[in-house]
Amino acid sequence: MSEVIRKLQAVALDCADPVRLAEFYAELLGGRVVADPEDSDWVEVHGFEGTPLACQRVDGYRAPEWPGQERPQQLHLDFDVDDLEGEEKRALALGATVLERTDQLRPEANWRIYADPAGHPFCLCLH
């Protein structure tokens, strides 16, 4: 009988510039960039609560398109926040862009959708 996987090691995001993307998420999450000087194509973000993020260089990377599906997002990240307005300002200052302020479009929604500097969608969710 096989054992179950006990821990998610990392979530890896494809991108053109893994250092830049790792720096964005390190600042956003209060983590730190962990880079291997021997492998500049893989950079991780550690030191925050949750599963580490990895940023992986992909030649010819094309950012996901949201909400279109010509280049689908395939995954997105959700982050719990206590102050949606404050965290939005911080994310934008770090290089994120607003895709949709869902909470302003639908009264039952408690999230907003952004793109990180490489174009990956992520949500800030008020909890």
Side-chain angles (χ1 to χ4, degrees):
M1 177 179 265
S2 67
E3 293 184 33
V4 298
I5 295 171
R6 55 176 205 190
K7 182 180 177 185
L8 178 61
Q9 178 184 339
V11 173
L13 299 171
D14 291 349
C15 61
D17 184 347
V19 171
R20 168 68 181 107
L21 191 58
E23 288 171 345
F24 169 82
Y25 280 111
E27 286 293 322
L28 185 71
L29 298 171
R32 67 185 184 286
V33 174
V34 178
D36 178 351
E38 302 295 318
D39 184 6
S40 63
D41 290 341
W42 182 272
V43 181
E44 296 183 2
V45 181
H46 292 251
F48 60 93
E49 187 175 335
T51 300
L53 289 175
C55 303
Q56 173 178 259
R57 183 183 323 278
V58 171
D59 292 334
Y61 172 75
R62 292 178 17 165
E65 181 182 281
W66 189 93
Q69 292 300 303
E70 186 174 320
R71 291 186 316 272
Q73 64 178 331
Q74 298 180 8
L75 74 89
H76 72 273
L77 304 170
D78 288 347
F79 300 107
D80 288 343
V81 299
D82 294 323
D83 175 6
L84 193 53
E85 294 295 331
E87 291 301 327
E88 175 179 277
K89 286 178 186 172
R90 207 165 67 77
L92 296 176
L94 293 170
T97 55
V98 175
L99 295 178
E100 180 180 279
R101 290 187 174 102
T102 312
D103 65 321
Q104 296 175 1
L105 300 174
R106 300 195 329 238
E108 74 283 1
N110 67 338
W111 68 88
R112 294 181 184 172
I113 306 167
Y114 305 87
D116 67 23
H120 303 105
F122 69 94
C123 297
L124 297 180
C125 307
L126 185 61
H127 285 274

